[in-house]
Amino acid sequence: MPIIRASCPTCGDVDIAPDAMTVMLCSSNGEASYVFRCPNCAMVVSKAVDKRIVEILVSSGVRIHFWRLPDESEEEMTGPPVDFDDLIEFHNQLSGPTWLERLIRYSQGKYEQ
């Protein structure tokens, strides 16, 4: 079984088995990264990679996981940006005792003013 040498920001170079690593490939824009859990410190490590590295990792037995950006990322944003007052109001809404019930009603289409 091939061993892949990767770098953990805490531990430095570590050896990873192909089945302990995953290539994450965005089908929306082609950006890719690999992710693994460091065998020494158990920290999850992710690093962006180019197409050549993806091909090498996959040919070495690393599994590939395809994902896509949400459709909302392509939507045109309208309205004013969120400001500090909006955040304070949101905080106050979440601090109230009925925020969860109101959220559930809203998600069921029962809007309130």
Side-chain angles (χ1 to χ4, degrees):
M1 175 187 305
I3 296 296
I4 300 164
R5 171 110 347 140
S7 182
C8 170
T10 303
C11 304
D13 288 345
V14 292
D15 292 333
I16 307 293
D19 62 353
M21 181 179 278
T22 303
V23 169
M24 307 292 288
L25 182 61
C26 179
S27 58
S28 302
N29 62 15
E31 291 185 12
S33 61
Y34 65 74
V35 63
F36 67 93
R37 185 174 296 277
C38 177
N40 297 334
C41 68
M43 182 165 89
V44 175
V45 178
S46 177
K47 181 178 180 188
V49 292
D50 62 25
K51 182 180 177 182
R52 184 179 64 84
I53 300 298
V54 169
E55 291 171 355
I56 292 169
L57 291 173
V58 171
S59 68
S60 298
V62 175
R63 67 187 168 276
I64 189 166
H65 176 80
F66 293 94
W67 65 280
R68 58 178 286 112
L69 294 169
D71 293 336
E72 292 81 6
S73 66
E74 298 296 322
E75 292 178 0
E76 184 177 333
M77 301 296 169
T78 59
V82 174
D83 62 15
F84 186 73
D85 291 335
D86 296 327
L87 291 176
I88 295 295
E89 178 60 27
F90 183 59
H91 169 78
N92 290 337
Q93 294 286 329
L94 291 178
S95 297
T98 62
W99 72 269
L100 183 58
E101 292 82 11
R102 289 180 22 234
L103 178 64
I104 292 169
R105 284 194 306 271
Y106 184 83
S107 70
Q108 296 169 339
K110 301 172 185 170
Y111 308 112
E112 63 183 52
Q113 296 297 329

